Structure formats: structure tokens, C-alpha cells
Amino acid sequence: LKRFVTIPKVQIGLGIIGFFTLVAILGKPFATYVLHRSPTDVFLEAMGTGQSLAHPMGTTVSGQDVLTWMLHGTYNSMFVGFVSAIIATILALVIGTLGGFLKGWPDAVINGFILVFQNIPSFPVLIIMAAFWRDMPLFAVAALVGIFEWTGGARRIRAQTMSLRRRDFTTALRTVGESKLRIVLVEVLPHLFGIVSPMFLSAIAAGVGMQAS
């Protein structure tokens, strides 16, 4: 994990995510209490205008302030991104670890479940759900996005767990009678952080993109 954080590209990505997270937290209060504006405010005298001192990012053709819309919209996008990433990461970690550490038919069933779920088209399903469920809560949107994001990470975690299962140290622990649960929690999971960390960051970006579209 420390080696992952020291990569320059990762640091830039973390900086970008940190900036937009800060905007998501402070954006709504700033628009409400500093700018004294809401996304529903209409400025009839400035419909479809460009950047100005009163409207730094211009206005829409309907006369709504673009900056105010962006400050409010960033919160929605980042909320969906983080919650969906947490859900997807937990699902991938649990299912991928089980599939990689178990042998025989349980592994075959889990791997088949991952492959079947991976081929379900997520975007059409989200469109259909949005059509039938008007004003869908943000948490429901995040849950739906997270449910469709975990399969790729689960396959990578499963492959890594299968490799760790064959290592000498896990074989030695099984020989001395250590339980599978302790081996997974204490010995296997720390070796998966190198996969989980970039997967979580990628899931945030994917969740933001899905919510915006």
C-alpha cells in the first residue's frame, strides 16, 4: 500500500479525488450561505450569458447559474461514487476471496456466478430502473451502480487469492491446524491491499461517470 501511494500518477489521482471531495462537502453550503443561490433560481436578466463577475461560469439558456448547478451536482456525483465504490469493493473482496481460497465445486459455482453477472449489461438496467423509479434516492442509485461494478475486481482478487493459497506460508499454516478463516483474515487479506486500493479508486471514477450519465 505504501509503495502504491508513492507512485506519482496515483498521487495526482488522489489529489483530484480529494479536491472534488472537498468541493462536494463544502459546495452546497458555499452556494447557499455565501452565494445565496440554489439550482432552482432563475436570472431572467442573464439568460444564456457567458462568464461574468456575477456568474463566473455563465448561465444556462433557462437563466440558471452554472456554478451553482456544479456545486450541488458535485455532491451527488461524489456521494454515488464513494458509496458505490465501497459496495463494489466489499462484494469483490468477499466473493473473490471465497472463490480463490475454496476448492472444488464452491469455487466453480462462485466463478460461474461472477462470469454470468459480468455479462449483464449494467447501463440498460440502470436506465430501466430510472424510468420506472422516478426521483430515485441517491443511495439506491449508488447501490445499483455498486452491484454492477464488483465483477472485474472479484476476478482479480480470486486469481491473487488462488496464488496465495498455494504459497508455502499458507500451506504451513494449514499443516499446523490453523483455521481457514484466520488464514484468510490475518495472512491473505493484507496481501490483497495492492489490488484493492487501485480497484477502489477506479470504482469511484466509474461510479461518478455512471451517475453523471
Side-chain angles (χ1 to χ4, degrees):
L1 182 60
K2 291 181 180 179
R3 185 183 303 175
F4 172 75
V5 175
T6 57
I7 300 175
K9 292 182 179 180
V10 174
Q11 293 176 344
I12 294 174
L14 289 174
I16 294 173
I17 292 177
F19 170 76
F20 281 104
T21 301
L22 189 64
V23 173
I25 295 173
L26 302 178
K28 279 187 175 182
F30 181 81
T32 303
Y33 301 109
V34 178
L35 299 180
H36 303 289
R37 293 172 181 173
S38 71
T40 58
D41 293 341
V42 177
F43 300 90
L44 298 177
E45 73 284 358
M47 298 176 66
T49 59
Q51 291 82 1
S52 64
L53 186 62
H55 306 283
M57 301 191 70
T59 60
T60 66
V61 293
S62 302
Q64 295 164 314
D65 185 64
V66 174
L67 177 61
T68 305
W69 271 92
M70 291 187 64
L71 292 175
H72 280 258
T74 301
Y75 171 82
N76 297 340
S77 297
M78 294 304 295
F79 179 86
V80 171
F82 269 101
V83 174
S84 64
I86 292 172
I87 293 173
T89 302
I90 292 174
L91 288 174
L93 192 59
V94 173
I95 297 175
T97 304
L98 286 175
F101 204 80
L102 298 177
K103 296 180 181 180
W105 67 266
D107 178 33
V109 171
I110 292 175
N111 187 41
F113 177 73
I114 294 174
L115 293 176
V116 170
F117 212 91
Q118 192 173 27
N119 287 286
I120 298 176
S122 58
F123 195 66
V125 173
L126 293 174
I127 292 177
I128 293 172
M129 289 296 297
F132 280 96
W133 191 355
R134 299 288 182 178
D135 299 324
M136 185 183 299
L138 283 179
F139 186 82
V141 175
L144 285 173
V145 173
I147 287 172
F148 288 103
E149 281 184 354
W150 63 271
T151 53
R155 295 192 66 183
R156 292 193 294 271
I157 290 174
R158 175 179 173 271
Q160 181 66 15
T161 305
M162 290 178 66
S163 174
L164 293 171
R165 187 186 66 192
R166 302 187 184 99
R167 301 283 178 87
D168 292 338
F169 70 94
T170 54
T171 302
L173 289 172
R174 289 196 299 270
T175 303
V176 298
E178 289 287 354
S179 65
K180 291 183 178 180
L181 180 61
R182 186 183 184 282
I183 294 175
V184 170
L185 295 179
V186 178
E187 302 295 339
V188 174
L189 284 182
H191 289 82
L192 299 177
F193 288 155
I195 297 176
V196 173
S197 301
M199 183 184 69
F200 179 74
L201 296 178
S202 299
I204 293 176
V208 171
M210 292 289 286
Q211 193 277 336
S213 57

